[in-house]
């Protein structure tokens, strides 16, 4: 079993705690013997762990499990039904017309899409850039993820044409 | 009489024992270097799981807002955030497994899939932070009944000051505060309740799309990193590279960003604690924002949108719409924009190459890697003095190679290297730098 840097990065902490399967532990050990960079990270983690206090194994608090709940407010799309009582001829004409509309739509799609995209881009304003900046802020070591979730989440909504908060006007 | 004396002595001894016990309880924890405490805080997410309730207070659009969120973390890089208040945010769910983030909005039954918010957890590095911030230990305080080291991070140049309360037992940041020099506290967070070592199930950090929910994939920016020179080969407009930035900010990556028909070049610069982003797109491809206040950049109309924590500055030059986003003071953002809008790239390449006696091709090549003019000058001068190749010197100037490591490579003492770096800095004083407004 061979592991790459990325995988070893994920396994170092459980390796330190003796939580890996024997074959995984052997693979991590082999990688550490070969790789100075991962060895350095491992030594640092081990030193940090040594500094940390002994933590008691705690039972999750009751409110933790109440927090694990299914999202509310599911909605199912309405299904539309075509009336089936039309005479056969009228139905045939309708099918031909529908096929014509589909062909026309396919031909015009790139043009329409391009125009819509341009219109949409013109409406975006700064939200796309604020979202991308907030996502990249997560690479900064001291940034708070809960706050970034608010900023990036609000921008997601604005980018699909919804107001960031109910009651606000859509952008 | 004797009995009275004995009982008094016993009473005094009991008091002394109690006092001694109390003193022992209140004994200060062993002193730890501030940088070590910071390292503890950066390593903690890889070592501990937790679940708690966090209160975030942030400045949003000129008003202070308090947000409550149930935050669960599973090592090394998974996070689940369930927003509890205010009412208009309640129910928002963010689940991140370290590779992908899902955002679910129950009131609209919409889900969004995008890049991870935990991208930096596995590669947290102190080098840039220690280079650009003064880290000081401010003592030990109790936070929700837990002892916490208090450390301050003061930017060596002007910028946002941070204070962190780091749990002594686990290294987790229990409380944090960010203070803008001009506006006071702009962001504060604290856990009102936290539990550790829960061994939370993996499934809790995986998202299952609720039935009927509309899913939007929101991967606007290409993964990976490209230099401005590489980006230039991908777009039809001239990519603008900031000539100067606040001292300490260095190029951290570039990418193409696409949303519908809008294609923009994204350049990001960091000082290890904060980020300034630049987005460049053809002027006609994006609307001019109606929000924000009118201002000017190099005499041209510009718009400043103050979102509280983030500030956004938008201006146009030579057919391009440039948007800068950051947490730096407004004056700094305007000064940086002014340098870009001045459009003196070619003149500065000539001036700097004459000043440091280097060929313009080298200067241009380093600019193509995203270096500012002061960084270009520092790189070339140091490379000449130390006899190091340009790529190694660039890594050192950008902070991805520490002074100790470079000194080790060169077989010299770190103090001697530091002296040479200071001398080099003195020799390039004539190179244009950002004048910090006071």
């Amino acid at each position: 079993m061979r592991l790459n840097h990325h995988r070893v990065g994920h396994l170092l902490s459980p390796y330190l705690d003796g939580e890996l399967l024997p074959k995984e532990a052997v693979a991590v050990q082999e990688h550490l013997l070969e790789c100075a960079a991962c060895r350095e990270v491992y030594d640092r983690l081990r030193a940090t762990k040594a500094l940390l206090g002994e933590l008691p194994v705690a039972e999750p608090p009751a409110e933790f499990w109440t927090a694990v709940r299914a999202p509310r407010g599911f909605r199912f799309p309405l299904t539309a039904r075509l009336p089936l009582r039309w005479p056969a001829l009228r139905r045939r004409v309708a099918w031909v017309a529908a096929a014509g509309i589909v062909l026309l739509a396919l031909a015009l799609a790139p043009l329409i899409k391009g125009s819509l995209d341009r219109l949409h881009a013109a409406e975006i304003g700064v939200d796309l850039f604020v979202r991308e900046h907030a996502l990249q802020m997560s690479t900064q070591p001291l940034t708070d993820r809960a706050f970034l979730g608010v900023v990036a989440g609000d921008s997601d909504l604005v980018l699909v044409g919804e107001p960031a908060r109910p009651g606000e006007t859509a952008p | 009489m004797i009995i009275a004396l004995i009982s008094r002595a016993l009473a005094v001894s009991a008091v002394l024992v109690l006092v001694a016990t109390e003193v022992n309880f209140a004994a200060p924890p062993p002193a730890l270097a501030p940088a070590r405490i910071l390292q503890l805080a950066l390593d903690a997410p890889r070592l501990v799981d937790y679940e708690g309730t966090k209160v975030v207070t942030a400045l949003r659009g000129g008003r202070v807002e308090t947000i409550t969120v149930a935050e669960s973390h599973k090592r090394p890089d998974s996070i689940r955030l369930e927003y509890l208040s205010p009412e208009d945010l309640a129910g928002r769910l963010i689940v991140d497994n370290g590779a992908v983030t899902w955002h679910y909005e129950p009131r609209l039954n919409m889900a969004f899939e995008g890049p991870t918010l935990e991208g930096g957890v596995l590669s947290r590095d102190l080098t840039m932070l220690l280079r650009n911030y003064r880290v000081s230990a401010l003592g030990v305080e109790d936070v929700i009944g837990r002892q916490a080291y208090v450390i301050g991070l003061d930017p060596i140049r002007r910028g946002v000051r941070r204070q962190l309360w780091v749990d002594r037992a686990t290294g987790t940041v229990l409380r944090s505060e960010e203070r803008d020099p001009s506006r006071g506290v702009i962001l504060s967070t604290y856990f009102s309740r936290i539990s550790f070592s829960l061994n939370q199930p993996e499934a809790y950090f995986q998202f299952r799309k609720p039935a009927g929910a509309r899913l939007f994939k929101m991967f606007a920016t290409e993964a990976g990193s490209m230099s401005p020179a590489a980006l230039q080969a991908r777009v039809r407009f001239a990519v603008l590279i900031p000539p100067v930035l606040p001292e300490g900010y260095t190029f951290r990556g570039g990418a193409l960003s696409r949303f519908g028909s809008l294609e923009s070049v994204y350049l990001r610069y960091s000082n290890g604690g904060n980020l300034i982003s630049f987005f460049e797109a053809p002027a006609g491809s994006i609307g001019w924002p109606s929000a924000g206040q009118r201002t000017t950049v190099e005499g041209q109309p510009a718009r400043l949108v103050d979102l509280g924590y983030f500030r956004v500055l938008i201006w146009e030059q030579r057919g391009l719409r440039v948007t800068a986003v950051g947490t730096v003071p407004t004056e700094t953002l305007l000064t940086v924009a002014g340098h870009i809008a001045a459009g003196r790239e070619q003149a500065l390449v000539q001036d700097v190459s004459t000043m440091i006696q280097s060929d313009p091709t080298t200067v241009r090549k380093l600019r193509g890697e995203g270096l500012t003019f002061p960084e270009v000058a520092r790189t070339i001068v140091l490379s000449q003095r130390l006899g190091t190749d340009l790529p190694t010197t660039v890594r050192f100037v950008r902070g991805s190679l520490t002074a100790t490591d470079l000194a080790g490579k060169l077989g010299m003492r770190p103090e001697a290297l530091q002296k040479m770096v200071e001398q080099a800095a003195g020799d390039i004083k004539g190179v244009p730098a950002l004048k910090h407004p006071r």
Side-chain angles (χ1 to χ4, degrees):
Chain A
M1 184 178 185
R2 285 197 70 79
L3 301 171
N4 59 21
H5 285 293
H6 183 73
R7 184 77 187 124
V8 170
H10 276 77
L11 294 178
L12 281 181
S13 183
Y15 174 70
L16 261 173
D17 291 348
E19 292 172 358
L20 294 181
L21 295 170
K23 65 175 182 183
E24 286 177 324
V26 169
V28 171
Q29 210 167 14
E30 279 171 3
H31 184 86
L32 288 177
L33 285 173
E34 288 168 14
C35 176
C38 287
R39 209 161 47 236
E40 196 185 315
V41 177
Y42 170 72
D43 287 341
R44 207 180 67 204
L45 278 180
R46 196 172 52 175
T48 305
K49 196 126 193 165
L51 269 170
L52 303 177
E54 288 279 322
L55 291 169
V57 178
E59 282 299 314
E63 62 268 34
F64 172 67
W65 296 112
T66 57
V68 188
R69 60 177 190 272
R72 291 163 296 167
F74 293 179
R75 279 183 305 192
F76 295 93
L78 291 171
T79 50
R81 287 180 185 175
L82 279 170
L84 296 172
R85 279 167 284 170
W86 287 7
L89 180 65
R90 288 173 72 186
R91 220 183 297 161
R92 204 169 298 155
V93 170
W95 278 114
V96 170
I101 290 167
V102 168
L103 284 174
L104 191 66
L106 283 174
L108 291 175
L111 286 173
I112 294 167
K113 189 179 181 304
S115 306
L116 287 177
D117 281 348
R118 271 190 293 281
L119 280 172
H120 194 186
E123 287 170 355
I124 289 169
V126 298
D127 295 284
L128 175 66
F129 301 145
V130 170
R131 177 182 181 272
E132 296 309 296
H133 177 79
L135 290 172
Q136 286 301 326
M137 274 295 284
S138 70
T139 59
Q140 305 300 296
L142 301 173
T143 313
D144 186 80
R145 269 67 178 161
F147 175 64
L148 290 185
V150 175
V151 179
D154 284 356
S155 301
D156 281 344
L157 293 176
V158 174
L159 289 175
V160 296
E162 294 287 343
R165 303 289 168 89
E168 283 177 8
T169 49
Chain B
M1 179 70 178
I2 291 168
I3 292 168
L5 277 174
I6 290 171
S7 52
R8 193 173 295 170
L10 279 174
V12 169
S13 317
V15 168
L16 282 175
V17 166
L18 279 174
V19 168
T21 317
E22 194 64 33
V23 166
N24 191 37
F25 274 137
L32 218 51
R36 191 75 196 89
I37 300 171
L38 188 57
Q39 186 70 62
L40 269 180
L42 299 195
D43 286 343
R46 302 178 61 147
L47 297 165
V48 286
D49 294 354
Y50 65 74
E51 176 274 324
T53 306
K54 185 183 262 183
V55 180
V56 179
T57 307
L59 197 59
R60 288 188 77 234
R63 69 190 166 109
V64 175
E65 194 169 69
T66 299
I67 295 151
T68 317
V69 55
E71 181 173 314
S72 305
H73 167 78
K74 184 175 176 64
R75 61 190 172 154
D77 54 2
S78 297
I79 198 165
R80 181 184 173 104
L81 302 160
E82 283 188 72
Y83 293 85
L84 308 173
S85 75
E87 200 179 336
D88 53 13
L89 202 61
R92 176 177 294 179
L93 171 70
I94 289 180
V95 178
D96 193 318
N97 66 2
V100 178
T101 295
W102 292 274
H103 157 209
Y104 178 66
E105 207 66 40
R107 71 182 163 92
L108 300 162
N109 202 21
M110 278 182 180
F112 301 85
E113 192 179 321
T116 178
L117 278 172
E118 292 278 90
V121 168
L122 295 181
S123 55
R124 288 176 154 189
D125 184 26
L126 267 184
T127 316
M128 288 290 286
L129 273 172
L130 294 181
R131 198 178 270 198
N132 294 313
Y133 290 84
R134 244 177 251 109
V135 188
S136 51
L138 304 173
V140 175
E141 283 181 18
D142 259 28
V143 180
I144 47 166
R146 302 179 66 90
Q147 281 207 315
Y149 297 111
V150 189
I151 52 169
L153 283 96
D154 291 283
I156 290 171
R157 290 99 195 170
R158 200 164 180 257
V160 174
R161 181 183 190 276
R162 278 192 168 90
Q163 200 160 314
L164 304 176
W165 284 256
V166 179
D167 186 34
R168 203 186 140 201
T170 66
T172 304
V173 176
L174 297 175
R175 186 181 158 194
S176 72
E177 241 177 50
E178 289 186 40
R179 199 176 282 270
D180 185 296
S182 59
R183 295 187 297 180
V185 176
I186 52 168
L187 179 68
S188 87
T189 69
Y190 68 89
F191 278 104
S192 59
R193 179 190 64 77
I194 192 163
S195 310
F196 293 96
S197 293
L198 294 163
N199 195 21
Q200 302 181 80
E202 284 282 355
Y204 196 48
F205 300 89
Q206 297 294 337
F207 179 72
R208 279 178 197 83
K209 185 169 78 83
R214 278 187 290 163
L215 179 71
F216 297 90
K217 297 211 178 216
M218 307 283 279
F219 294 90
T221 298
E222 282 181 1
S225 178
M226 279 190 277
S227 67
L231 284 165
Q232 185 60 80
R234 302 269 309 268
V235 292
R236 287 182 191 161
F237 52 85
V239 175
L240 303 170
I241 306 158
V244 287
L245 283 171
E247 190 61 32
Y249 279 85
T250 192
F251 182 68
R252 282 287 143 191
L256 268 188
S257 183
R258 278 200 191 89
F259 191 79
S261 68
L262 173 64
E263 183 177 73
S264 46
V265 159
Y266 176 18
L267 304 178
R268 53 185 187 272
Y269 290 79
S270 161
N271 71 349
N274 255 315
L275 198 68
I276 304 179
S277 298
F278 296 94
F279 298 88
E280 299 164 13
S285 62
I286 186 166
W288 189 249
S290 52
Q293 65 189 74
R294 288 193 181 94
T295 182
T296 55
V297 169
E298 277 286 300
Q300 295 299 312
R303 188 73 76 152
L304 180 79
V305 185
D306 193 340
L307 298 172
Y309 189 74
F310 296 131
R311 291 178 177 119
V312 186
L313 181 66
I314 305 124
W315 74 98
E316 279 188 7
Q317 65 181 96
R318 284 180 289 165
L320 273 192
R321 168 76 51 80
V322 188
T323 306
V325 190
T327 313
V328 290
T330 305
E331 300 79 13
T332 308
L333 214 51
L334 283 166
T335 314
V336 170
H339 280 280
I340 299 174
R344 296 189 61 241
E345 181 69 24
Q346 292 315 316
L348 283 170
V349 167
Q350 290 304 329
D351 290 355
V352 170
S353 52
T354 309
M355 216 174 286
I356 57 170
Q357 294 169 342
S358 172
D359 66 304
T361 317
T362 310
V363 175
R364 240 176 249 122
K365 184 176 172 289
L366 291 175
R367 287 285 291 152
E369 290 182 30
L371 274 73
T372 60
F373 278 107
E375 283 182 315
V376 168
R378 210 173 300 147
T379 302
I380 294 173
V381 169
L382 273 176
S383 166
Q384 289 163 350
R385 300 266 167 89
L386 300 169
T388 47
D389 57 69
L390 279 177
T392 306
T393 323
V394 167
R395 283 178 58 217
F396 173 65
V397 167
R398 281 187 174 159
S400 48
L401 182 67
T402 64
T404 317
D405 288 346
L406 182 61
K409 267 190 175 189
L410 296 169
M412 65 194 296
R413 292 169 61 85
E415 301 80 39
L417 175 65
Q418 186 58 39
K419 205 172 172 187
M420 289 184 84
V421 171
E422 281 163 17
Q423 277 173 355
D427 291 350
I428 58 160
K429 272 193 176 147
V431 174
L434 194 75
K435 301 282 182 291
H436 289 284
R438 294 284 162 194

